[in-house]
Structure formats: C-alpha cells, structure tokens
C-alpha cells in the first residue's frame, strides 16, 4: 500500500512540476479509493513542492476532502492555498525570496511591506480581499488592514526617540539644505545597511574576532570581552553626537547606528565596516571603526588594497560587482516562520525613507476602509508634531510632511463622500500653517497639533506670546484660531507708546479702537481710550522749558517731573502747551475715538477754557438743519401756520447743501472735527428730497386750507419728519385736502413710494373719512386712481371697496349696490353682500360660479343666514345644495377625459 502511494505521489509531483494540470486531475480520478487518493494528495503536499504544485494540491484537498482533515491541518492547508495564490500573483522574480513564507500569507505581506514592494503588496492585498470573503480562514481582512496601518505608521516613524522639549534656541538645518531636501527622497547615508539581507554573498572573507589576536595598540577604546546583549546597548535618547568621532551630530538625516560589538551609538561614517560577532544573528554584523581596528591592526590597509583591486583602470567600477550589490540590497528585511526571530527583526526594522508621506499614503490606499485611513493620517500628523521641538529634527520638513498627509486625508474623505470630515481636515491644516509661522520665527515652546486644536491651549499660547512680546506671532495665532485679536493690538499699541513710537501706536490702536456711535454719550469713551490718555498724560516725557535759554533744572523741578502725575504745562510758558507732541497725541485719540464730554473734560483739565468753548460752539450744519426743522413745526396749529414757517425749511435745505458740498470736497485725511454730526452723502441727499417734498405738501395744503375753513390741530400738524404713522396721516391729508381725490393723489402717491408706506392703510384711512363725509362718489374715484397708478393689483382695489362697505353701516342700499358692483372679484362681492346682510344678492352671485366653487360659496351664505336666523335664505341654500351634490373624483376624471 505504501509503495502504491509512493508511486502515485511521485507521478503526481512529476506532472505538477511540468504544470500539467489536466493529466494530474486524470491521475487522481483513476484512483478510485478515496482514502488512497487523500493519502496521495496529502503526502504530496507534505513534500513541500513548488508554488504551482502547492496551490494545486491545497486547492484539491480543500475542495474534495474538507471533512477528512483535522481542523488544525485544514487551517494549515488553507494558509498554504492563500500563500500560493499570493505568490502566483507576484512576479516570478519574487518567488525565491518569499516562497519560504507560503504557509503564512500575513508574514509574506509583512515582508513585502518591510522591503517597500508596494506594487507587489497591492497585488497581494487585492488577492486577499477577494479570497477572504469567506470566514473559514485563520485571519480576516481586518488583520490585513491592521498590518497596513502598522507599516503606514512606520513610514512616518523617526528611527530614534523623541527628546524632551529644548530650552535653548532651536537648532535647524541650514535654509538651503532644508529647502532642497525632499521628504520622499530622503535615504540613509549608510550603504552598509543594505547588506542585512540573508542573500548577501557571505563567501567573502570577513574579519572575525575569533582566530585573530587582538590589537593592543589602540589605548583609546577597549571593547568589552563579550558583545553586549541588545538590552544593554546605549539608549538612543542618551547621546546627541557620535561616540566614536565626537563630531557628527545626530539628526533625522544623520541617523544613529548601534555597533553590534560594543553597543555604542555611532554615526554612519564611523560604522561602515563589518565583522563576525559572536552571538549576533545577522553575521557578518555592522561594527564601529574602533572595534574593527581593535581586532585587526591592518584593517585600514586591507580596505585600501581591496578598494584598489576592485577598481578598474580609469576609475570605472566592475558592472558585475554593481549588479551583485544591487541584488544583495533587493531584500533587506527577512522574516521566517520562527516568531522569536521575527520579533527581533521587527524591533530593528525601520524605513530608510522615513518619514515619507508618499509611502504612508501609498500603503494606506490599500486599506479596505478609506474613512479610517483619513483618521489614521490625522492621528499621525499629531504624533509628528511632537517632534517639532526636537533639535535633531528638521521642523520645516516635518511640517511639509504633515501638510501632505492632511491633503491626502482630505482626498480620502472626498472619495468616501464624507463631507463633514473635510472641515476637520481644513481645521488641522490651518493649525499646521500656524505651526509653520511659529517655527519660522524660531519660537521655542511650540505646542503639538493635538494641543493647539484645544481653545484653552490656544489662549494660553497667545498669552505666552504676549508675555514674551512676540506681538506678530500673537496676532497670527489669534487670526488663525478665530480669537479676538483686539487684546493683542491693545497690548502692542501700549508697548509702542511706552517706547515713544507714536505713529506705530496709532496704527495698532486703529485695529482695536472704534469711534462711539453717538458722540453725545455721557462718558468720555471706552476703557481702552482712558488707558491711552492716562498713559500719555502721566508717563509721557515732559518738555522742561522754564526759560527759553535755560538748559538746567533744579533738583526740585526734577522731583516734580518724576512724580506719578506728569505736569505738562506747569513748567512751560503760556501758549507752549499746544506744541507738545503728547498733547497733540491726546487730542488725536480723543477726537478720533472719544465723545464730546471727553474732549471738553480734557480741555478743562488743562485749563484750556477757550478751546473748550470753541468746541461747544463750533458750527455744525447737520445739527443746524435738524434745529431748523424743529422750528418749522414749533407752535404750528394748522398747515396755514406751517406755510408761514417755510423759511425754516429753506434754511434747513441750505445747511444740508453746504454740508453735502463739504463732504464732496473733503479729502480722506482724518481731521479733528469728528465731534460734528456726521452723515453720509446719500443720507444728506435723501433728507434734502424729504425737505423739498414737505415744502410741496405744505404749499398744497396751505392753498387748500385758504379756500375753506382751516383744520385746527391740538398738536402740530403731521409732517414727513415723524414716524411712519405720521407719514400715513400726511398722505391721507393730501388726498382729502384737494377739491377732489384726483387733485392730491399724485403727491400722496409719491409720499407712499418714497417712504415705502403701507398703501392699504393710507387708502383705508381715506375711505373711512369719505364714508364719514358721505362722499361716496369720491370713493369710486379713489379706486380708479389706485388702479391707474400701475402698481396696485385688481384685488387691492376690491379690498379698498370692501373696507368701505364694512365701514358703511347706515348707508342707503343703492349706494352700497354701486360700490359693490364696482368690485371685480365675485368672491369679494359675496363677502360685501354678507357684510351688508344682503343674503339674496350673495346667494344669486354664488350660484353663478363653477360647480365646486359655487358649493363652497353657497355653504358660506348658508352659514351667514344661519347666524342671522334668516330661515328663508337658509332653506333656499339647503335646497340648492341637495339638488347640486359634489361631484366624485372618478366622475371628475371621466368628465375631464371627455
């Protein structure tokens, strides 16, 4: 039996070696015994055949003998099936380096990631995503995603520990090198790192500490007797410079390397050599120059001879040697099925290109859940920002990488249609811009990205900048983070005042101080203005001029000068105080940002009574125009009195025109007359039009009153200078004032249009007056004027007539009929008939409408008759409703089709 199995197995392996799938299947079909076929297939797989054979055998076993396998063995075969599937998806050149991991697909993907075979990883992940839909495998697509996230993070890791925040000045790479360094093209300066592959040609003679006498001629350094364990190596964060040459400073470009023989931290230039180290896994291992020279006295000479022998005449390298080195460097990192060895390899792993935003994005693009990738990138940005204070880091390069990562995260969210996360990316991007500003200014205490997104941390940062007098940075922080920058401008302006930079203080205070809306307020201005004036009065340097030719002051005069309250004018001749620069500066701030009371108090505080009076009595054309308007209506009882006071309107118009000319002639330079009442040119023009229209109304109503008895008012007659209710009274008075409605309608219509009054209220008020005067014909004339105005709709005219009908309680029916017949809408006519209790007319009008509409209107008439206890009309409506029932929807559709 065993012989038969062996024959079938060898025959099957031979066919599979030739990739003859059809004959292999025929061979297995000829084996009728299921147990024999199972034994042949399983033993063939145990022989560790090639990739194609492993894939065929594992697939055959899973398809035909799933129940004959133990669960553990079944899982192993599934992994072989997945591993062979992945290897078949890779190029043939990759099979040699990865086929030893055929039984562990995740390790295969991990080794591909460690060696940056992103295109191969993409093919492998796509294959796994298609195959892992079933839940029978030992790992899931979540495990693959977790592995991708891990190595995407390693693409951004810095291969040494972050150091504590520095307290000295920021150490940076020179501007030229930092600008030319591309984060995607950063490579290690150590070519020896590329020889850590298990495929390195180890037949070359390497120096070894065994079998050689130690060189005692190196008194500077003596290696330990035995190589230290990895746990005994010098920690990364303890040394900032190379422990061999003592010159090279470690940076993100000049990285740390551990000597495998002594465990010290050395730079790349001091660790170019290799030797066999006892107990080291990757022999020959990388060692420092001192350890190498200690064991080999003639190492430098041997190296020079080997370099000269390898070099061709003319300085041209041997092409075969270059190709051999490139092949050796093709696979740097090697995983096995031994997990302990893999942990050691993972602990030593890092990307030479790290930090690389493009490598991180390329790996995360393979993730099955794109939205999670965006959050991963944002989280990585926060971690990278903690390295901005590390003196070994190029902060500008880190910020560029963070910017690229946030852009990639934004693109991921766009593709995932997560619009609410775009604002999150923009917020973090603005914070990165803020960090760029802090780095460019060489600010030392730079917060991390996750700190600066918190409002409390931003406020604390701004306050720290103010304390350190970084005013420009404080403004940038406030602007970028949405804080109110007025406090920063205030502090900056006060600092300028204290340093006697008066023009600079003006510019800073203009950003945070505003003029009061009302200059007549009973205070001197804002608290900030008080602080500025108080500082200028108390802390400004006085000009000591007791006499014009005296240059020395007595001790008593100096003592008075140094008092807390600076006496500006005590020691100055009369008339010289106005020439003081600080006095003029106080006037500038008071006139620009203060009130009248603050200016007057300032003059009085310095005994300048004449200036205080001039300020009070200075000519103000706007206020003069307002005063003339008040005199126009003062003590007037009728429009005849207003007509006699029209000279005040003429003077008001002249004042406004003069002010308008001054505004048009004035330049943009600020003057000290801001205490005067201000008004824009458009407002002045509007007030001039109002005055002219009031003059026209006054003449019209004065002429109308002269033809009949003047109407006497208990208070001043309504004018256009009041509120909207008063303007409505003016418009209705103009319509009613003429000999007919048509005479004054044009002026009233202009009032309604210019002041945007409620036209219905005006016409309703006019109609009410006409009803009280029993002037019914003028009502129809008013409706005619309204309809001819071109603005009112037909419904508006009907509403005016309806309002009149509602007001006409005891009016002859024939007049009512005329007004109702003037309406164009039947619905409003019915409302008017019902308001006048003319039930029969309402019924007759309702039944003339369309069927459905007529039913609704007749029901309204029936309800009104019911409320008035009119049984006759109620009965008529009920009978009509019975005879004309509502038409069903189906009947309506049938009728419409016909």
């Amino acid at each position: 039996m065993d012989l038969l199995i062996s024959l079938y197995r060898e025959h099957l392996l031979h066919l599979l070696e030739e990739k003859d799938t059809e004959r292999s299947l025929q061979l297995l079909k000829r084996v009728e015994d299921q147990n024999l076929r199972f034994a042949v297939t399983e033993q063939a797989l145990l022989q560790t055949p090639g990739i194609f054979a492993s894939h065929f055998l594992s697939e055959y076993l899973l398809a035909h003998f799933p129940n004959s396998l133990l669960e553990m063995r079944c899982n192993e075969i599934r992994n072989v099936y997945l591993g062979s599937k992945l290897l078949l998806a890779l190029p043939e050149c990759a099979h040699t380096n990865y086929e030893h991991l055929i039984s562990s697909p995740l390790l295969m993907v991990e080794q591909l990631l460690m060696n940056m075979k992103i295109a191969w990883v993409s093919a492998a992940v796509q294959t796994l995503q298609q195959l892992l839909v079933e839940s029978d495998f030992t790992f899931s697509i979540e495990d693959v995603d977790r592995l991708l996230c891990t190595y995407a993070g390693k693409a951004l890791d810095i291969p040494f520990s972050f150091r504590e925040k520095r307290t000295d000045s920021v150490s940076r790479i020179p501007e030229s090198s930092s600008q030319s360094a591309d984060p995607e093209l950063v490579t290690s300066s150590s070519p020896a790192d590329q020889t850590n592959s298990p495929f390195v040609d180890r037949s070359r003679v390497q120096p070894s500490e065994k079998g050689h006498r130690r060189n005692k001629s190196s008194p500077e350094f003596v290696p330990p007797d035995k190589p230290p364990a990895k746990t005994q190596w010098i920690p990364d964060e303890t040394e900032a410079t190379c422990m061999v040459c003592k010159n090279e400073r470690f940076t993100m470009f000049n990285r740390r390397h551990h000597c495998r023989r002594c465990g010290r931290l050395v730079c790349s230039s001091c660790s170019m050599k290799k030797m066999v180290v006892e107990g080291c896994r990757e022999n020959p291992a990388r060692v420092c120059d001192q350890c190498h020279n200690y064991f080999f006295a003639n190492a430098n000479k041997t190296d020079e001879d080997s370099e000269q022998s390898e070099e061709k005449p003319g300085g041209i390298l041997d092409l075969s040697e270059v190709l051999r080195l490139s092949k050796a460097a093709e696979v740097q990192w090697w995983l096995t099925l031994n997990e302990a060895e893999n942990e050691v390899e993972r602990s030593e792993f890092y990307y030479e290109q790290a930090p690389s935003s493009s490598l991180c994005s390329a790996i995360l693009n393979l993730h099955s859940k794109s939205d999670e990738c965006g959050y991963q990138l944002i989280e990585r940005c926060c971690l990278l920002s903690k390295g901005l204070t590390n003196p070994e880091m190029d902060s500008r390069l880190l910020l560029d990488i963070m910017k690229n990562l946030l852009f990639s995260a934004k693109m991921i969210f766009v593709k995932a249609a997560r619009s609410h996360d775009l604002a999150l990316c923009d917020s973090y991007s603005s914070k990165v811009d803020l960090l760029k500003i802090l780095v460019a200014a060489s600010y030392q205490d730079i917060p991390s990205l996750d700190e600066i997104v918190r409002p409390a941390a931003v406020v604390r940062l701004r306050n720290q900048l103010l304390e350190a007098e970084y005013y420009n940075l404080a403004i940038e922080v406030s602007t970028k983070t949405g804080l109110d920058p007025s406090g920063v401008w205030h502090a900056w302006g006060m600092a300028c005042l204290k340093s006697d930079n008066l023009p600079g203080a003006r510019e800073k205070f203009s950003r945070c101080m505003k003029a009061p809306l009302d200059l007549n307020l009973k205070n001197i201005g804002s608290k900030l203005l008080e602080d500025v004036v108080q500082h200028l009065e108390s802390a400004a340097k006085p000009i000591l001029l007791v006499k014009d030719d005296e240059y020395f002051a007595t001790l008593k005069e100096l003592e008075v000068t140094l008092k807390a309250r600076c006496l500006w004018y005590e020691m100055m001749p009369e008339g010289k105080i106005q020439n003081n620069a600080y006095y003029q500066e106080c006037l500038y701030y008071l006139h620009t940002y203060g009130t009248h009371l603050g200016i007057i108090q300032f003059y009085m505080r310095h005994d300048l009574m004449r200036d205080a009076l001039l300020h009070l009595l200075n000519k103000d054309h706007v206020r003069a125009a307002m005063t003339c308007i008040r005199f126009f209506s003062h003590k007037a009882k009728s429009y005849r009195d207003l007509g006699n006071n029209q000279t005040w309107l003429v003077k008001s118009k002249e004042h406004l025109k003069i002010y308008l000319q001054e505004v048009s002639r004035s330049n943009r330079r600020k003057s000290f007359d801001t205490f005067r009442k201000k008004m824009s040119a458009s407002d002045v023009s509007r007030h001039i039009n109002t005055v002219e229209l009031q003059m026209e109304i006054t003449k019209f109503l004065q002429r109308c009153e002269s033809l009949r008895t003047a109407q006497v008012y208990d208070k001043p007659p309504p004018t256009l200078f009041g509120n909207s209710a008063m303007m409505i009274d003016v418009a209705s008075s103009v319509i009613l004032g003429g000999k007919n409605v048509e005479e004054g309608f044009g002026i009233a219509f202009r009032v309604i249009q210019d002041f945007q009054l409620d036209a219905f209220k005006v016409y309703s008020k006019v109609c009410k007056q006409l009803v009280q005067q029993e002037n019914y014909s003028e009502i129809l004339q008013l409706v005619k004027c309204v309809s001819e105005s071109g603005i009112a709709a037909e419904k508006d005219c009907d509403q005016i007539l309806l309002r009149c009908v509602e007001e006409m309680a005891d009016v002859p029916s024939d007049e009512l009929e005329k007004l109702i017949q003037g309406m164009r809408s039947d619905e409003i006519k019915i409302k008017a008939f019902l308001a006048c209790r003319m039930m029969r007319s309402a019924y007759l009008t309702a039944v003339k409408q369309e069927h459905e509409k007529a039913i609704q209107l007749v029901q309204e008439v029936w309800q009104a008759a019911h409320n008035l206890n009119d049984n006759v009309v109620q009965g008529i409506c009920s009978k009509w409703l019975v005879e004309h029932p509502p038409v069903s929807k189906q009947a309506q559709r049938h009728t419409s089709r016909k």
Side-chain angles (χ1 to χ4, degrees):
M1 187 69 177
D2 294 338
L3 181 59
L4 184 60
I5 293 174
S6 176
L7 289 174
Y8 277 121
R9 182 191 65 206
E10 295 301 327
H11 189 192
L12 179 61
L13 291 175
H14 174 72
L15 293 175
L16 291 175
E17 187 178 354
E18 295 179 356
K19 297 183 180 181
D20 194 342
T21 307
E22 185 176 354
R23 292 178 62 189
S24 299
L25 290 173
Q26 291 175 0
L27 175 63
L28 291 173
K29 285 181 181 180
R30 286 199 298 268
V31 181
E32 297 180 356
D33 188 355
Q34 292 286 339
N35 296 329
L36 180 60
R37 191 190 310 168
F38 170 71
V40 170
T41 310
E42 187 177 18
Q43 288 191 18
L45 184 61
L46 290 174
Q47 296 296 318
T48 61
I51 300 172
F52 180 83
S54 297
H55 179 66
F56 175 86
L57 294 172
S58 59
E59 185 179 19
Y60 190 86
L61 284 171
L62 292 175
H64 295 83
F65 304 104
N67 298 326
S68 302
L69 296 167
L70 296 176
E71 183 178 358
M72 182 179 297
R73 180 56 180 164
C74 188
N75 291 334
E76 293 175 357
I77 294 175
R78 288 194 184 100
N79 287 337
V80 171
Y81 169 72
L82 286 178
S84 60
K85 193 75 173 177
L86 293 187
L87 287 170
L88 291 175
L90 300 180
E92 290 187 5
C93 59
H95 292 174
T96 306
N97 298 333
Y98 295 92
E99 64 181 350
H100 66 287
L101 299 174
I102 191 171
S103 60
S104 183
L106 272 181
L107 287 178
M108 191 185 304
V109 174
E110 186 174 4
Q111 183 173 315
L112 287 169
L113 287 170
M114 295 172 79
N115 292 285
M116 291 193 307
K117 304 298 182 181
I118 304 301
W120 296 357
V121 175
S122 176
V125 170
Q126 289 177 7
T127 303
L128 287 176
Q129 288 174 350
Q130 296 172 1
L131 296 176
L132 291 179
V133 177
E134 303 176 5
S135 59
D136 296 334
F137 296 99
T138 57
F139 62 94
S140 63
I141 194 64
E142 285 76 15
D143 297 320
V144 179
D145 290 341
R146 200 174 298 113
L147 184 65
L148 292 173
C149 291
T150 300
Y151 281 88
K154 290 181 181 293
L156 299 174
D157 284 344
I158 310 298
F160 54 86
S161 303
F162 287 120
R163 305 184 66 186
E164 296 295 330
K165 290 187 176 180
R166 60 187 179 277
T167 56
D168 54 348
S169 60
V170 180
S171 176
R172 304 188 185 282
I173 292 177
E175 187 78 19
S176 60
S177 63
S178 65
Q179 289 178 355
S180 61
D182 189 347
E184 317 305 331
L185 300 176
V186 177
T187 58
S188 173
S189 59
S190 171
D193 277 353
Q194 299 180 351
T195 62
N196 291 334
S197 169
F199 295 98
V200 176
D201 184 6
R202 298 182 182 177
S203 60
R204 295 194 308 171
V205 177
Q206 295 289 344
S208 172
E209 61 174 327
K210 292 185 178 181
H212 296 271
R213 187 191 315 181
R214 296 182 179 180
N215 179 22
K216 301 297 182 180
S217 62
S218 179
E220 293 85 3
F221 174 74
V222 178
D225 293 336
K226 292 185 178 181
K230 186 176 181 181
T231 56
Q232 297 175 341
W233 289 355
I234 302 297
D236 288 343
E237 61 271 12
T238 58
E239 295 294 333
T241 56
C242 176
M243 299 177 69
V244 173
C245 64
K246 308 294 185 181
N247 293 324
E248 290 291 335
R249 185 179 180 86
F250 295 129
T251 65
M252 63 187 299
F253 300 110
N254 188 20
R255 298 181 174 180
R256 294 167 170 82
H257 298 279
H258 277 100
C259 173
R260 267 46 175 181
R261 184 61 186 79
C262 63
R264 293 182 301 168
L265 288 169
V266 294
C267 65
S268 176
S269 301
C270 296
S271 60
M272 300 291 290
K273 299 173 182 177
K274 289 191 175 187
M275 62 182 286
V276 177
V277 179
E278 180 183 357
C280 188
R281 188 173 62 89
E282 67 266 16
N283 275 321
R286 187 171 189 170
V287 295
C288 66
D289 292 348
Q290 289 181 343
C291 287
H292 190 274
N293 294 337
Y294 181 82
F295 290 103
F296 298 93
N298 299 323
N300 293 332
K301 183 177 179 180
T302 305
D303 291 340
E304 292 175 1
D305 295 340
S306 62
E307 288 176 4
Q308 292 176 3
S309 63
E310 289 176 359
E311 203 169 306
K312 293 291 181 180
I316 301 175
L317 294 176
D318 188 1
L319 182 60
S320 61
E321 179 67 17
V322 174
L323 294 177
R324 187 187 62 79
L325 290 175
S326 301
K327 184 177 180 181
E330 186 176 347
V331 177
Q332 290 184 341
W333 304 97
W334 184 267
L335 296 178
T336 65
L337 298 179
N338 187 337
E339 191 59 29
E341 294 182 358
N342 291 341
E343 286 301 324
V344 175
E345 191 79 3
R346 292 188 187 103
S347 65
E348 298 177 359
F349 170 76
Y350 64 90
Y351 283 117
E352 289 286 348
Q353 287 77 6
S356 171
S357 59
S358 62
L359 179 59
C360 177
S361 301
I363 295 175
L364 282 181
N365 283 336
L366 306 177
H367 201 284
S368 63
K369 298 178 181 178
S370 58
D371 52 344
E372 292 184 7
C373 300
Y375 295 122
Q376 285 273 343
L377 291 174
I378 294 176
E379 183 179 355
R380 285 292 166 181
C381 285
C382 296
L383 292 176
L384 283 176
S385 65
K386 294 180 180 179
L388 294 174
T389 56
N390 194 318
E392 298 179 9
M393 303 295 293
D394 186 349
S395 301
R396 292 183 176 88
L397 182 59
L398 279 186
L399 289 169
D400 290 339
I401 293 174
M402 291 162 60
K403 199 75 173 177
N404 292 336
L405 292 177
L406 289 174
F407 180 77
S408 299
K410 190 173 183 179
M411 292 299 100
I412 288 173
F413 289 137
V414 168
K415 292 179 181 178
R418 298 178 65 90
S419 57
H420 58 281
D421 289 325
L422 298 180
L424 179 64
C425 291
D426 293 336
S427 174
Y428 275 97
S429 183
S430 65
K431 300 303 185 296
V432 172
D433 292 337
L434 179 58
L435 293 179
K436 278 188 176 181
I437 295 171
L438 295 176
V439 168
S442 299
Y443 183 67
Q444 298 177 7
D445 193 12
I446 298 177
S448 61
L449 192 57
D450 52 354
E451 291 176 349
I452 203 171
V453 295
R454 295 196 294 267
V458 175
V459 174
R460 185 166 60 253
L461 173 63
R462 184 198 61 184
N463 295 339
Q464 291 173 353
L465 292 171
L466 289 178
E467 291 175 3
E469 297 184 355
Y470 284 94
Y471 297 111
N472 268 321
L473 291 181
I475 289 295
E476 293 288 351
V477 169
S478 301
T479 305
K480 294 284 185 182
T481 58
L483 295 178
D484 184 10
S486 58
V488 182
W489 290 116
H490 176 201
W492 200 352
M494 293 302 294
C496 290
L497 281 183
K498 292 176 183 178
S499 61
D500 290 338
N501 183 8
L502 301 183
R506 284 192 182 190
E507 192 270 332
K508 304 304 182 294
F509 285 128
S510 66
R511 308 293 184 93
C512 60
M513 297 176 65
K514 294 181 180 179
L517 297 177
D518 187 3
L519 298 179
N520 298 312
L521 294 174
K522 294 183 179 180
N523 56 47
I524 65 174
S526 63
K527 181 65 172 62
L528 177 56
L529 179 62
E530 292 183 28
D531 295 341
V532 172
V533 174
Q534 183 179 2
H535 174 79
L536 288 171
E537 288 182 338
S538 61
K541 299 177 182 179
I543 301 175
L544 300 178
L545 293 175
V546 178
K547 294 181 180 179
D548 291 340
D549 298 331
E550 186 174 352
Y551 297 99
F552 298 97
T554 63
L555 293 176
K556 183 177 180 181
E557 291 169 345
L558 290 174
E559 184 180 357
V560 171
T561 303
L562 296 175
K563 284 184 179 180
R565 184 174 182 273
C566 178
L567 305 178
W568 285 18
Y569 49 87
E570 273 187 11
M571 304 166 60
M572 297 178 65
E574 186 178 358
K576 294 291 183 71
I577 185 173
Q578 289 86 348
N579 298 327
N580 187 290
Y582 300 105
Y583 169 83
Q584 296 296 334
E585 202 68 17
C586 281
L587 280 181
Y588 166 79
Y589 286 107
L590 288 170
H591 281 292
T592 307
Y593 307 109
T595 60
H596 296 315
L597 181 61
I599 299 171
I600 293 170
Q601 284 184 356
F602 175 80
Y603 284 135
M604 295 178 66
R605 194 161 56 245
H606 297 285
D607 292 338
L608 299 173
M609 298 302 176
R610 183 174 179 275
D611 292 334
L613 289 174
L614 286 176
H615 182 82
L616 286 173
L617 301 177
N618 202 349
K619 191 175 181 180
D620 192 336
H621 292 290
V622 175
R623 286 192 173 89
M626 295 168 63
T627 304
C628 291
I629 290 173
R630 289 193 177 187
F631 281 132
F632 166 69
S633 58
H634 184 61
K635 293 183 179 181
K637 299 294 183 180
S638 64
Y639 270 97
R640 189 174 297 174
D641 296 338
L642 289 178
N644 297 330
N645 294 339
Q646 275 201 107
T647 52
W648 291 112
L649 289 182
V650 175
K651 292 181 179 180
S652 174
K653 182 179 176 181
E654 291 175 356
H655 281 299
L656 291 174
K657 285 186 175 181
I658 293 173
Y659 180 78
L660 188 61
Q661 292 174 359
E662 290 180 355
V663 171
S664 61
R665 288 197 306 266
S666 64
N667 51 20
R668 296 183 179 180
R669 183 180 57 189
K670 289 188 176 180
S671 58
F672 287 165
D673 62 346
T674 54
F675 62 89
R676 297 170 60 184
K677 182 71 175 177
K678 282 189 173 182
M679 190 178 294
S680 64
S682 59
D683 290 340
V684 173
S685 300
R686 182 169 53 83
H687 284 300
I688 291 175
N689 293 335
T690 303
V691 170
E692 291 175 348
L693 184 57
Q694 181 62 51
M695 292 173 64
E696 185 178 354
I697 291 172
T698 303
K699 290 179 182 179
F700 175 77
L701 292 178
Q702 183 186 21
R703 178 173 56 82
C704 293
E705 286 184 358
S706 64
L707 299 177
R708 59 177 185 272
T709 304
Q711 182 181 357
V712 180
Y713 297 88
D714 296 335
K715 53 185 179 179
T719 63
L720 299 179
F721 306 113
N723 53 21
S724 59
M726 185 179 289
M727 293 178 184
I728 290 175
D729 292 340
V730 172
S732 59
S733 299
V734 171
I735 293 175
L736 295 169
K739 59 182 179 181
N740 53 42
V741 170
E742 188 176 3
E743 185 179 2
F745 183 81
I747 300 176
F749 187 74
R750 283 172 53 197
V751 172
I752 294 171
Q753 292 295 111
D754 290 351
F755 297 98
Q756 297 181 356
L757 302 178
D758 189 346
F760 184 73
K761 288 184 178 180
V762 176
Y763 300 144
S764 299
K765 190 167 187 177
V766 172
C767 290
K768 187 175 181 180
Q769 293 291 330
L770 293 174
V771 170
Q772 291 177 357
Q773 297 172 8
E774 298 182 359
N775 193 354
Y776 307 119
S777 59
E778 289 297 319
I779 296 175
L780 294 175
Q781 185 64 32
L782 173 64
V783 173
K784 181 181 177 183
C785 292
V786 171
S787 62
E788 291 177 354
S789 64
I791 296 178
E794 295 181 0
K795 197 172 183 180
D796 297 337
C797 299
D798 291 347
Q799 290 291 342
I800 295 172
L801 292 174
L802 179 61
R803 184 62 182 272
C804 293
V805 171
E806 291 174 351
E807 294 289 339
M808 298 166 67
D810 301 326
V811 178
S813 59
D814 55 344
E815 296 293 340
L816 287 174
E817 283 286 347
K818 289 180 181 179
L819 293 177
I820 294 174
Q821 292 303 324
M823 299 177 183
R824 299 182 182 181
S825 173
D826 291 335
E827 292 184 17
I828 298 180
K829 282 183 180 180
I830 293 172
K831 289 182 181 179
F833 283 133
L834 294 178
C836 299
R837 300 185 178 184
M838 302 172 67
M839 301 297 171
R840 293 179 181 274
S841 299
Y843 168 76
L844 293 174
T845 306
V847 297
K848 294 178 181 179
Q849 308 304 314
E850 295 180 0
H851 183 72
E852 292 297 327
K853 192 174 183 180
I855 292 174
Q856 181 181 356
L857 295 174
V858 171
Q859 288 176 349
E860 293 178 3
V861 175
W862 180 90
Q863 185 64 40
H866 177 72
N867 295 337
L868 297 174
N869 294 325
D870 191 343
N871 297 327
V872 177
V873 177
Q874 192 175 356
I876 295 172
C877 292
S878 299
K879 183 178 178 182
W880 189 89
L881 290 172
V882 171
E883 295 176 354
H884 300 80
V887 181
S888 63
K889 293 184 178 180
Q890 292 182 352
Q892 288 180 358
R893 293 195 196 99
H894 184 68
T895 305
S896 61
R897 289 173 183 173
K898 289 182 177 181

